Amino acid sequence: MPASALNVPTILFGGDYNPDQWPREVWDEDVRLMKEAGVNAVTVGVFAWSTLEPREGEFDFAWLDDVMDLMAKNNIGVILATPTASPPPWFTLSHPDGLPVTKDGVHYIHGSRDTYNPSAPSYRNAARIITRKLAERYAGHPALLMWHLHNEYGTISYGPHTDAEFRNWLIRKYSTLDNLNKVWNSRFWSQQYATWEEIFAPQATQYLPNPSAILDFKRFCADQLRVVLDDQIEIMREVSPNTPLTTNFMLPTWNHFNQWDFAADIDVVSIDHYLDSTTMDGEAHVAFASELARSFNNGQPWMVMEQGTTVIYDYAAGRVYPKAPGRMARNTLQYIAHGSNSSLFFQWRTPLTGAEFFHSGMIPHTGENTRAWREIVDLGHTLHQLAEVTNAPAHNSRTNTAKIAIVWEPDAWWSAETPAMPSNDVAFLPALREVHKALWLEGFAADFVQLGAPLEGYDLVLVPNFIAVSDAQAHNLTQFVRSGGHAAVWFFAGSTDENLNVRVGDTFTAAFADLLGIKVDEHWPLPTGEFRELSNQMSGFSWGESVATTTAITLATYRSADLKDKPAITRNTFGAGTATYVSTQIRGTELRALMREIVLNAGIDKTHPQAGDGLEIVRRFSGEHTYLFVLNHTDSSHTVSASGYELLTDTPITSQITVAPFGYAVLREDTPTR
Amino acid sequence: MPASALNVPTILFGGDYNPDQWPREVWDEDVRLMKEAGVNAVTVGVFAWSTLEPREGEFDFAWLDDVMDLMAKNNIGVILATPTASPPPWFTLSHPDGLPVTKDGVHYIHGSRDTYNPSAPSYRNAARIITRKLAERYAGHPALLMWHLHNEYGTISYGPHTDAEFRNWLIRKYSTLDNLNKVWNSRFWSQQYATWEEIFAPQATQYLPNPSAILDFKRFCADQLRVVLDDQIEIMREVSPNTPLTTNFMLPTWNHFNQWDFAADIDVVSIDHYLDSTTMDGEAHVAFASELARSFNNGQPWMVMEQGTTVIYDYAAGRVYPKAPGRMARNTLQYIAHGSNSSLFFQWRTPLTGAEFFHSGMIPHTGENTRAWREIVDLGHTLHQLAEVTNAPAHNSRTNTAKIAIVWEPDAWWSAETPAMPSNDVAFLPALREVHKALWLEGFAADFVQLGAPLEGYDLVLVPNFIAVSDAQAHNLTQFVRSGGHAAVWFFAGSTDENLNVRVGDTFTAAFADLLGIKVDEHWPLPTGEFRELSNQMSGFSWGESVATTTAITLATYRSADLKDKPAITRNTFGAGTATYVSTQIRGTELRALMREIVLNAGIDKTHPQAGDGLEIVRRFSGEHTYLFVLNHTDSSHTVSASGYELLTDTPITSQITVAPFGYAVLREDTPTR
Amino acid sequence: MPASALNVPTILFGGDYNPDQWPREVWDEDVRLMKEAGVNAVTVGVFAWSTLEPREGEFDFAWLDDVMDLMAKNNIGVILATPTASPPPWFTLSHPDGLPVTKDGVHYIHGSRDTYNPSAPSYRNAARIITRKLAERYAGHPALLMWHLHNEYGTISYGPHTDAEFRNWLIRKYSTLDNLNKVWNSRFWSQQYATWEEIFAPQATQYLPNPSAILDFKRFCADQLRVVLDDQIEIMREVSPNTPLTTNFMLPTWNHFNQWDFAADIDVVSIDHYLDSTTMDGEAHVAFASELARSFNNGQPWMVMEQGTTVIYDYAAGRVYPKAPGRMARNTLQYIAHGSNSSLFFQWRTPLTGAEFFHSGMIPHTGENTRAWREIVDLGHTLHQLAEVTNAPAHNSRTNTAKIAIVWEPDAWWSAETPAMPSNDVAFLPALREVHKALWLEGFAADFVQLGAPLEGYDLVLVPNFIAVSDAQAHNLTQFVRSGGHAAVWFFAGSTDENLNVRVGDTFTAAFADLLGIKVDEHWPLPTGEFRELSNQMSGFSWGESVATTTAITLATYRSADLKDKPAITRNTFGAGTATYVSTQIRGTELRALMREIVLNAGIDKTHPQAGDGLEIVRRFSGEHTYLFVLNHTDSSHTVSASGYELLTDTPITSQITVAPFGYAVLREDTPTR
């Protein structure tokens, strides 16, 4: 983690700082308050394009020079952003072709953010110019901590530029139209293409589109965002090669690019993660996001680039709720326990107006005499106490080790969102969150992996949802089990190849037929609200299947008349391992019971014998030390067996520690565990 | 039914067959399996335009020659489709003006199906060319059984071509602008037209449109689909005069053309009908669709062109459910009992990808070793046993005789959907389905008729919903009752003339004022969920009216304070018949009781004394024979008095037959009933 | 009220009359029926543009001359409308640029009403021409009673004309781009403008727009409607200076212009108000609309330009309900009690077709022998009996005096609708209706005022919702309380300045911080359906706040764990008055209790000691007399102490009068009360 090279405590603490949106006299006040809170890092310039380049080709860096110098003078590091996520108003007038067009042909203009077409040469050119200007001016600046490329990549556009680039992408993938026509089965509904020019991005049409084309378009859009990221990486590697690069991933509901692919070429993964629940679901979700981020970053320390301070975002209901006192700090410790080296917020100072004027801030509208500011100051103090957690050298800082891996594939998400599935209840993100939450509530840690990635090191691989599996991916999981690993695969998985072509054969889930030792001859989607009783006290929702075992044994059968006595959950011994199949959706406490059994079968231990039910106990590895984070998300106190040195109270612990309701402790362990 | 001219069993059995979407090596396998199942007819080419004409003006018939010859060789008839429902991608590039435009001005392009504007000369021309090419090449081919024109007509488009044709249509209807302005009352909201050029298709505008204009536009759209059908009929009559023509009607939710009008000029009505309920509502709906199809086809045998095999379509919920074992065959026998001479499915082989890759197939994704395929093979056997049911000569094959007729008018549906009605609870299709279902559950057969058609032969005519009644239609019903028929008319009926002009007078329902012997001075729409108790133990929903009798007697009054003691249901003796009026919506079992009383009043018998409550007993006439279909849609066995020869078990029945739960029997009756 | 200058009874009785939509022979019938009912005023020509100018520049006034002469001859006054709300079809062809464009870029054309862009010169020009023609032809006509300018102003359009005018508006408001950029905080998300040409009306864009820009655009749209109104006022003042002007305000859900601003330059306020509930909520709403209209018209008599006759409009449910017998007259007396000098309906004769063919009419579709017509005739008689109520000279006719004022600000409504608020539960109109209804049910009268208007004369000013308060407005309320007035302010009020810039300081609600004697450091939006118990038996919904008192006392605290013991309702003694703060949403009967306490604290009396709970007792002032309206909206009879002369029964009342269920009485009081 390059952060350790800075003359600052190693947990980065601060937030998005937009001095360009405030009068100069406020800046000094900012510095005073940053020092009061112990802020050591700020993210500058995320949306400053119109300030840096107020007219096309006219640049104004004076104010940013001031900011950089002020930060350097005050020993506050700057994560400097390229402002390319939001072109200035002049871009609309000089490059209307560079603006986004919707599926229905609506032309958007500026007035918000993210108003550009990533396939438009005019946009790419404008973005490269401002990126190079910034790089050239600030490379090597003493305040410069990191480059923050763009912001929350995620823009989709249709229109001629997109059509052209999509065609190029398809030519690269398929080489010939024959291949494409075959893979898309484009003769269906008379869509066979005779020339590449006949292919367009899948804009609005009469009725259902082609699912393989839709999936390819989602891949293309993701790759196109990668292209504009590459534009910036290339410039930075050339002009500012010694400063690390990041770009912030918006979690969890954005799926517009392939996180694994982005992570491979930046230096550190950072995430934006906003608490979205007033209940403990929020903490389950912090753990989910954290384990994702750690996994994207290959186990190395990662960063929280944005979280909210004292508000919870319920976008569906169109409102923000107050975050309970102390929760912000507890969530922050969760991120750090799972490998974050930062605690950054959106944003330093809440703006007085603008589209997010009631978003959160470290300094709220009502200023210093508020519980929000008091909690920020306290958090700064807490983080100072925890600094040693992050100061291991980068090469020795794999932050956690999980024996369970959950398969996260952008392709799986995109496939599940494709129209014309047998049931629109088939969903990716909710399935993964439910499985992860069940594990978390049971006290188990989990990584996320790609199905084609090396799986050695794991004891159990979970595939909660993945329709479109390639042969190589299927082979990889099969080899993993053959070599002694354990797998659990959920319904519908591997029913098609990677292009949403149903696999030919006598069973669905065909990619895993041998591995699972079953045949599935029929899907059995269930009406909303209906369920099917199983023989093991559980109930199945949303989906069922007509399953027959070949080599597997049956762990539970259906008891309903329609699927009477057919296997619902099976397990196959395969090579040196086992493969469990779950043919329906199990929920809540029943899913916890199922996961407990599956994990037990794989011989995996909890992170700590007492972990679970909201008592989160996480061990973070850092160089030669291990740190035990005990986070009590419940309203009862808990006494946990542990020994070491508690950092927040500066107290040695010999055998056990009591953690208050909603409290936490962090121990440098006497005997590091591996 | 021309099918009898073929050297195949007379029940057509098979489905949509798209060999162009599969490698050549699969074709032989197809033939093997078709023979195994007893398939004798396939529908070819429905969406093959891009294969037949891959580039504009370049045709490739070689593959289709192969298919036709292969089928001929194997004695499998081909229902050959014109592929005009889905223009190929090249059409978008060469004829962008031929593509559809939405009400909001969104221009659709290819990527799905039905992407054309029926008013565009370029589309009509391209469709005529491919139609003529097909006709010329395959007229007289030994495999050719029937021409299947287009597929599921139903496309609506706005834009300049539509505007122009709409103007022409209006000129033909109204001759002068004065007439149009008067009928539309276009001075309302200052819309008086001074030139024809000022009239446009009713595209998006600020607020409510003109209801008469909307109704005319719906009629125009229907007629425009008729125009493109006529293009094809004309070519076929010229080039291939000896082969019967059909086009498949999508039931029940599509109302984009006038089925009576289409049926008049094709040779046989075929329908696409997909089961949409996991409950017995599905069977009620099969009966509904069947009686509609029989009626559209003037009592002659008709065809099921598409049904699903083992799945149920819940489009509203976005999913498909499995169809219970045996249900496919039982539904098929329902269609046949009501006059179908075919059992065709969508589709022969489930595609591996494409927009409907999880739609149903005779060969499912998982192949032969599936209950789906086993049920198909069994069904083929069953149909073979029933072949004689359909082999009467066409001139002697009126399939059923019902004494009850329900009025089905596209105009009624379109009127009910017009904006600005007193209540948007006024609905056409649900009202008809409810009335039909009540009759079906009570064991009565029903035809559907147009209100202007000859009504002699019926004892009872029902008008569950028909706002916009012409003088001629009203006169026809009045004469029917005067001559001894019975009628039942529901609320709001005949309140306007055929152009949605409220009839001037002292009563709503004015078209039927004398016939009904009532005056309705006020509508009384009810809030959703509210009801009004009636004096006869029934409740009224959705709607009420302030009714006074003139010559009618009152069968039930309202008991609620607001309509206290006003007539709710009345009956007028008129000439030699009676006319019942139902001023509110009666539902469920209460509607069954009401229909029982109305049918009793008309002196009509059940199809069989034991019919009803899910025991469907239908008599099909075929030449000199009658066949009694006993279909048990319940989970209890039923013993039914009947005598004849049971075809499925090859058993003579002397006085009664027991039918198992969800079972069925088909008897050639000893004494044909008429 | 200029009406008194006419030779007609002074309560105007009649409705929209569109003889141009009917054959000439109907006109004589119209006159006969008008005389039967006592109609003395009709509104002519509201949508007659296409009849008056059937082709651009070709005018046809012959029919209108006829109508005017016919009315004059029969002593029926004409409120003559400019027909500019609905351009004729020719306008679409000759001035496509004058048509509206939606936020998404959809171009509307004619086919409905209100299809024009108020910023388009072509529209303004066409509207001025027809206005001047009408004015020149009918100025001084003996039938001419009043000019009715346009109809229900409310059209919004985007597109180039709008962009241009919006820029001009912004230049007038901000003078410099620097000012605008600062007030809008346009650097947020990189939207800083370098030239005015970069600013567009806030059309569709990627994500959230700028709230200050949205608020300015709403103000601009309102002002633009004012501009087109001014076009007409200018012509009328020049050509027809002696005839009063009105324009009808659509209440209550339209908020497209500033009613105070419109009212200031027309001669009399008129409203369109349609009953929207089958329950007593309807009567509460009649009172609400009436008190609004009276307030807009500065306490002078105003007009009901449109109400429905016998139907209730439930637009949300898409239906109309029948209005209970007698309710139309009772509602009409409510309007008059509160200051209306008219009882006009939409419309005289229900049209046979057109977009509103099931809207209401004085002559319903079913003609004279209907309860609708009988009620109209009866109402005409009743109004004749009440004529003296309205015949005071204009300078002496302030109609009512309320001691309570509720702040009604278009800005408050627009602000509450702005995106990105902390909760989308923050709403304007529902909040005002709830507060007004609570007062009405408690028997108190209320005016509506602008917060910047003179407040002397009131004892209590209520601010149920007003986020964006200017310094001047805050100062005005503060001075009012300082001088002895009482105020009640609801949550979130005054948190921003008039441009939605959050006020800097240590508290939200900062505009009123001193006045209220509290500090609010945090908003506390609540999830839908949740509530917080208060210490005074009430519950708070939707919203809460973290409040601390500075000088205020606490009337009630929160009892929930999250806001435990924090003040929920406070009261501050300030100068000679008090200011109450309500930090959450109180509803229903609890709100009635709260309002009772607040009104009691202000020492205000009911309109009559017995008023309340649906017994509405209103005193109308008219010259030297006062009239007591006793309106019984309940199903029980009520005996009310009163003395005077009852006009409807021609009976002197000495001490009390009994009013039947749903009945009413109107007394000329012996001793006028002031």
Side-chain angles (χ1 to χ4, degrees), chain A residues 516-518 547 549 552-556 567-572 579-582:
Chain A
L516 297 171
I518 57 166
V547 178
T549 53
I553 60 164
T554 298
L555 299 185
I569 307 175
T570 64
R571 177 165 297 152
N572 195 37
T580 304
Y581 185 66
V582 187

Side-chain angles (χ1 to χ4, degrees), chain B residues 103-105 182-195 197-201 203-212 418-425 467 492 495-496 499-508 519-528 530 542 562, chain C residues 18-22 47-51 54-55 83 86-90 92-93 100 106-116 155-156 278 310 314-325 346-347 351-358 364-367 369-372 374:
Chain B
K103 203 182 172 73
D104 283 334
K182 184 163 175 302
V183 170
W184 286 10
N185 188 22
S186 54
R187 290 179 172 188
F188 188 85
W189 286 354
S190 184
Q191 300 298 305
Q192 179 174 254
Y193 301 99
T195 68
E197 288 64 38
E198 290 171 5
I199 302 180
F200 294 81
Q203 62 188 70
T205 183
Q206 280 285 115
Y207 187 46
L208 294 172
N210 182 299
S212 301
T418 300
M421 287 291 145
S423 167
N424 61 12
D425 252 4
I467 304 163
F492 202 26
S495 289
T496 77
N499 291 311
L500 281 176
N501 276 238
V502 173
R503 289 173 170 276
V504 179
D506 59 358
T507 179
F508 287 113
K519 289 196 181 179
V520 179
D521 81 327
E522 208 165 345
H523 298 140
W524 214 268
L526 303 178
T528 303
E530 281 195 20
S542 296
D562 55 351
Chain C
N18 297 302
D20 45 321
Q21 297 173 20
W22 294 88
F47 289 110
W49 196 344
S50 73
T51 324
R55 285 177 176 78
S86 201
W90 54 254
T92 293
L93 275 71
V106 177
H107 287 72
Y108 288 154
I109 65 167
H110 65 277
S112 183
R113 51 177 263 194
D114 301 301
T115 317
Y116 62 88
T155 303
I156 302 299
T278 58
T310 53
D314 187 347
Y315 289 108
R319 68 200 60 184
V320 294
Y321 306 125
K323 201 182 281 186
F346 185 82
Q347 58 177 320
L352 302 182
T353 193
E356 288 182 333
F357 68 148
F358 288 105
H365 287 128
T366 44
N369 188 18
T370 52
R371 69 118 180 164
R374 284 186 292 273

